[in-house]
Amino acid sequence: MNFFCDAHLHLVQCDLTEKPKNIFCTCAHDKQEFYDQKKLLSDFPQAVCAFGIHPQMPLIQNIEFLEQLLAENQIDAIGEAGFDFYTPQFIAHKEEQIKVFESQLDFAIKYNKPLVIHCRKAIDKLFEYHKKLAGLQTVLFHNFCGNSIQALSFLNHGINGYFSFGKQIMNNNKKTIDCVKNLPLENLLFETDAPYCKLKSETQTFPFEIEKVYKAGFELRDEKTQISFEEFCNRIKKNFNSCYRIQ
């Protein structure tokens, strides 16, 4: 039986008509969402719980709340954190994005937690922090939007990074396909980003669709001629455990 690990989703927003049977990491981005997430996680004791200040909503007032969660050991990871310069509206809050990202990066170092990165149209900005990122135990580049050369550059600068991909694999996204084909297997993860990251014809993504993402990723890899799909899943599970520091 294959075991699928979903590196990133948003449990509170998900349609849970069919409850996920796989292990996953869920992120929350405001206080109420965190408390709602915590209630839902009583049904998923193996799940990884994260809270972060999202760059699309860089709420400076949540910095103190985040540190409280860390001090009380209520979360396993920080995120999503990062930069989003995709629209003029997001760029207008660039200074707030910088402030909350730097706080979260410092917290990840101080509390020794994995950091989940969201980055759109801002890889150059993120790279300015490569020395501090290299000081973290692990970094997950969620839904990575760069190409394989950029991903490898992060790794070559000493960052213990994992790169996670979702349904873009099935949407002919050339950068994503390049990464999934060419990154080292030990740095690869998959995600649904449920209920987001849907295909054009869909209204949402469901957590159980992680199996589709795995199969699409496996078909792109050279290893498919050398190892079974089951072994491929086991290797990705090992990456998930290493990324989120699960014993």
mmCIF file of all heavy atoms in Angstrom, residues 109-129:
data_model
loop_
_atom_site.group_PDB
_atom_site.id
_atom_site.type_symbol
_atom_site.label_atom_id
_atom_site.label_comp_id
_atom_site.label_asym_id
_atom_site.label_seq_id
_atom_site.Cartn_x
_atom_site.Cartn_y
_atom_site.Cartn_z
ATOM 1 N N ILE A 109 14.897 30.567 13.405
ATOM 2 C CA ILE A 109 16.245 30.326 13.941
ATOM 3 C C ILE A 109 16.189 30.164 15.458
ATOM 4 O O ILE A 109 16.741 29.218 16.020
ATOM 5 C CB ILE A 109 17.190 31.484 13.547
ATOM 6 C CG1 ILE A 109 17.396 31.516 12.026
ATOM 7 C CG2 ILE A 109 18.527 31.355 14.273
ATOM 8 C CD1 ILE A 109 18.080 32.766 11.519
ATOM 9 N N LYS A 110 15.497 31.080 16.126
ATOM 10 C CA LYS A 110 15.441 31.074 17.591
ATOM 11 C C LYS A 110 14.788 29.816 18.134
ATOM 12 O O LYS A 110 15.280 29.223 19.116
ATOM 13 C CB LYS A 110 14.670 32.307 18.073
ATOM 14 C CG LYS A 110 14.506 32.394 19.587
ATOM 15 C CD LYS A 110 13.747 33.656 19.984
ATOM 16 C CE LYS A 110 13.524 33.737 21.491
ATOM 17 N NZ LYS A 110 12.791 34.976 21.886
ATOM 18 N N TYR A 111 13.676 29.385 17.508
ATOM 19 C CA TYR A 111 12.916 28.246 18.030
ATOM 20 C C TYR A 111 13.204 26.949 17.278
ATOM 21 O O TYR A 111 12.571 25.931 17.551
ATOM 22 C CB TYR A 111 11.419 28.559 17.994
ATOM 23 C CG TYR A 111 11.026 29.634 18.994
ATOM 24 C CD1 TYR A 111 10.923 30.972 18.610
ATOM 25 C CD2 TYR A 111 10.780 29.318 20.328
ATOM 26 C CE1 TYR A 111 10.571 31.963 19.524
ATOM 27 C CE2 TYR A 111 10.429 30.303 21.249
ATOM 28 C CZ TYR A 111 10.333 31.616 20.836
ATOM 29 O OH TYR A 111 9.992 32.595 21.746
ATOM 30 N N ASN A 112 14.129 27.017 16.305
ATOM 31 C CA ASN A 112 14.576 25.813 15.609
ATOM 32 C C ASN A 112 13.411 25.083 14.933
ATOM 33 O O ASN A 112 13.227 23.874 15.108
ATOM 34 C CB ASN A 112 15.299 24.878 16.582
ATOM 35 C CG ASN A 112 16.191 23.881 15.872
ATOM 36 O OD1 ASN A 112 16.643 24.135 14.762
ATOM 37 N ND2 ASN A 112 16.435 22.753 16.511
ATOM 38 N N LYS A 113 12.647 25.843 14.136
ATOM 39 C CA LYS A 113 11.475 25.285 13.455
ATOM 40 C C LYS A 113 11.653 25.311 11.936
ATOM 41 O O LYS A 113 12.293 26.216 11.390
ATOM 42 C CB LYS A 113 10.218 26.104 13.799
ATOM 43 C CG LYS A 113 9.796 26.051 15.260
ATOM 44 C CD LYS A 113 9.255 24.689 15.658
ATOM 45 C CE LYS A 113 8.717 24.711 17.087
ATOM 46 N NZ LYS A 113 8.207 23.379 17.500
ATOM 47 N N PRO A 114 11.070 24.349 11.228
ATOM 48 C CA PRO A 114 11.028 24.422 9.762
ATOM 49 C C PRO A 114 10.277 25.674 9.315
ATOM 50 O O PRO A 114 9.334 26.110 9.982
ATOM 51 C CB PRO A 114 10.270 23.152 9.363
ATOM 52 C CG PRO A 114 10.382 22.239 10.547
ATOM 53 C CD PRO A 114 10.428 23.123 11.750
ATOM 54 N N LEU A 115 10.704 26.231 8.181
ATOM 55 C CA LEU A 115 10.072 27.421 7.628
ATOM 56 C C LEU A 115 9.456 27.085 6.284
ATOM 57 O O LEU A 115 10.139 26.572 5.389
ATOM 58 C CB LEU A 115 11.099 28.540 7.467
ATOM 59 C CG LEU A 115 10.575 29.901 7.001
ATOM 60 C CD1 LEU A 115 9.659 30.528 8.050
ATOM 61 C CD2 LEU A 115 11.748 30.848 6.689
ATOM 62 N N VAL A 116 8.158 27.362 6.135
ATOM 63 C CA VAL A 116 7.431 27.124 4.882
ATOM 64 C C VAL A 116 7.393 28.441 4.106
ATOM 65 O O VAL A 116 6.831 29.431 4.565
ATOM 66 C CB VAL A 116 6.001 26.624 5.149
ATOM 67 C CG1 VAL A 116 5.261 26.405 3.829
ATOM 68 C CG2 VAL A 116 6.025 25.341 5.981
ATOM 69 N N ILE A 117 7.994 28.438 2.914
ATOM 70 C CA ILE A 117 8.164 29.650 2.117
ATOM 71 C C ILE A 117 7.114 29.740 1.011
ATOM 72 O O ILE A 117 6.897 28.793 0.254
ATOM 73 C CB ILE A 117 9.564 29.676 1.473
ATOM 74 C CG1 ILE A 117 10.660 29.751 2.534
ATOM 75 C CG2 ILE A 117 9.681 30.824 0.470
ATOM 76 C CD1 ILE A 117 10.837 31.091 3.162
ATOM 77 N N HIS A 118 6.485 30.922 0.930
ATOM 78 C CA HIS A 118 5.643 31.302 -0.210
ATOM 79 C C HIS A 118 6.396 32.394 -0.958
ATOM 80 O O HIS A 118 6.780 33.404 -0.363
ATOM 81 C CB HIS A 118 4.298 31.832 0.298
ATOM 82 C CG HIS A 118 3.456 32.485 -0.765
ATOM 83 N ND1 HIS A 118 2.289 31.919 -1.249
ATOM 84 C CD2 HIS A 118 3.585 33.676 -1.425
ATOM 85 C CE1 HIS A 118 1.745 32.724 -2.148
ATOM 86 N NE2 HIS A 118 2.518 33.795 -2.273
ATOM 87 N N CYS A 119 6.617 32.216 -2.249
ATOM 88 C CA CYS A 119 7.368 33.219 -3.013
ATOM 89 C C CYS A 119 6.840 33.297 -4.439
ATOM 90 O O CYS A 119 6.890 32.309 -5.182
ATOM 91 C CB CYS A 119 8.854 32.865 -3.021
ATOM 92 S SG CYS A 119 9.891 34.106 -3.818
ATOM 93 N N ARG A 120 6.314 34.473 -4.797
ATOM 94 C CA ARG A 120 5.877 34.706 -6.181
ATOM 95 C C ARG A 120 6.479 36.013 -6.676
ATOM 96 O O ARG A 120 6.363 37.056 -6.020
ATOM 97 C CB ARG A 120 4.348 34.780 -6.285
ATOM 98 C CG ARG A 120 3.645 33.467 -6.123
ATOM 99 C CD ARG A 120 2.257 33.472 -6.722
ATOM 100 N NE ARG A 120 1.418 34.554 -6.212
ATOM 101 C CZ ARG A 120 0.182 34.799 -6.666
ATOM 102 N NH1 ARG A 120 -0.345 34.067 -7.631
ATOM 103 N NH2 ARG A 120 -0.522 35.783 -6.146
ATOM 104 N N LYS A 121 7.124 35.928 -7.837
ATOM 105 C CA LYS A 121 7.753 37.095 -8.470
ATOM 106 C C LYS A 121 8.744 37.782 -7.532
ATOM 107 O O LYS A 121 8.902 38.996 -7.571
ATOM 108 C CB LYS A 121 6.677 38.097 -8.915
ATOM 109 C CG LYS A 121 5.680 37.569 -9.926
ATOM 110 C CD LYS A 121 6.304 37.367 -11.292
ATOM 111 C CE LYS A 121 5.261 36.946 -12.317
ATOM 112 N NZ LYS A 121 5.843 36.754 -13.660
ATOM 113 N N ALA A 122 9.388 37.020 -6.673
ATOM 114 C CA ALA A 122 10.245 37.632 -5.653
ATOM 115 C C ALA A 122 11.456 36.764 -5.303
ATOM 116 O O ALA A 122 12.022 36.899 -4.221
ATOM 117 C CB ALA A 122 9.423 37.901 -4.395
ATOM 118 N N ILE A 123 11.888 35.898 -6.207
ATOM 119 C CA ILE A 123 13.004 35.013 -5.888
ATOM 120 C C ILE A 123 14.275 35.805 -5.612
ATOM 121 O O ILE A 123 15.037 35.479 -4.694
ATOM 122 C CB ILE A 123 13.211 33.976 -7.015
ATOM 123 C CG1 ILE A 123 12.094 32.926 -6.941
ATOM 124 C CG2 ILE A 123 14.567 33.294 -6.887
ATOM 125 C CD1 ILE A 123 12.169 31.846 -7.982
ATOM 126 N N ASP A 124 14.508 36.876 -6.372
ATOM 127 C CA ASP A 124 15.701 37.691 -6.123
ATOM 128 C C ASP A 124 15.671 38.284 -4.718
ATOM 129 O O ASP A 124 16.707 38.340 -4.035
ATOM 130 C CB ASP A 124 15.807 38.816 -7.161
ATOM 131 C CG ASP A 124 16.182 38.296 -8.545
ATOM 132 O OD1 ASP A 124 16.631 37.146 -8.640
ATOM 133 O OD2 ASP A 124 16.007 39.039 -9.524
ATOM 134 N N LYS A 125 14.491 38.734 -4.285
ATOM 135 C CA LYS A 125 14.362 39.293 -2.937
ATOM 136 C C LYS A 125 14.617 38.212 -1.898
ATOM 137 O O LYS A 125 15.338 38.436 -0.912
ATOM 138 C CB LYS A 125 12.970 39.898 -2.748
ATOM 139 C CG LYS A 125 12.749 40.546 -1.375
ATOM 140 C CD LYS A 125 13.664 41.738 -1.187
ATOM 141 C CE LYS A 125 13.506 42.364 0.173
ATOM 142 N NZ LYS A 125 14.491 43.448 0.403
ATOM 143 N N LEU A 126 14.042 37.041 -2.092
ATOM 144 C CA LEU A 126 14.234 35.941 -1.149
ATOM 145 C C LEU A 126 15.704 35.559 -1.056
ATOM 146 O O LEU A 126 16.208 35.246 0.026
ATOM 147 C CB LEU A 126 13.386 34.743 -1.586
ATOM 148 C CG LEU A 126 13.373 33.545 -0.647
ATOM 149 C CD1 LEU A 126 12.771 33.913 0.704
ATOM 150 C CD2 LEU A 126 12.576 32.391 -1.270
ATOM 151 N N PHE A 127 16.389 35.627 -2.185
ATOM 152 C CA PHE A 127 17.786 35.216 -2.198
ATOM 153 C C PHE A 127 18.676 36.135 -1.365
ATOM 154 O O PHE A 127 19.760 35.732 -0.916
ATOM 155 C CB PHE A 127 18.312 35.140 -3.634
ATOM 156 C CG PHE A 127 19.363 34.100 -3.818
ATOM 157 C CD1 PHE A 127 19.001 32.778 -4.072
ATOM 158 C CD2 PHE A 127 20.703 34.402 -3.694
ATOM 159 C CE1 PHE A 127 19.965 31.804 -4.207
ATOM 160 C CE2 PHE A 127 21.673 33.424 -3.833
ATOM 161 C CZ PHE A 127 21.310 32.128 -4.091
ATOM 162 N N GLU A 128 18.213 37.346 -1.101
ATOM 163 C CA GLU A 128 18.972 38.251 -0.240
ATOM 164 C C GLU A 128 19.159 37.666 1.171
ATOM 165 O O GLU A 128 20.070 38.070 1.896
ATOM 166 C CB GLU A 128 18.255 39.600 -0.133
ATOM 167 C CG GLU A 128 18.228 40.395 -1.437
ATOM 168 C CD GLU A 128 17.445 41.688 -1.303
ATOM 169 O OE1 GLU A 128 17.162 42.103 -0.152
ATOM 170 O OE2 GLU A 128 17.110 42.280 -2.343
ATOM 171 N N TYR A 129 18.308 36.712 1.522
ATOM 172 C CA TYR A 129 18.334 36.131 2.868
ATOM 173 C C TYR A 129 18.987 34.746 2.889
ATOM 174 O O TYR A 129 18.814 33.994 3.849
ATOM 175 C CB TYR A 129 16.911 36.041 3.418
ATOM 176 C CG TYR A 129 16.241 37.383 3.566
ATOM 177 C CD1 TYR A 129 15.538 37.950 2.521
ATOM 178 C CD2 TYR A 129 16.326 38.099 4.767
ATOM 179 C CE1 TYR A 129 14.924 39.199 2.647
ATOM 180 C CE2 TYR A 129 15.719 39.341 4.912
ATOM 181 C CZ TYR A 129 15.016 39.879 3.840
ATOM 182 O OH TYR A 129 14.423 41.114 3.974
#
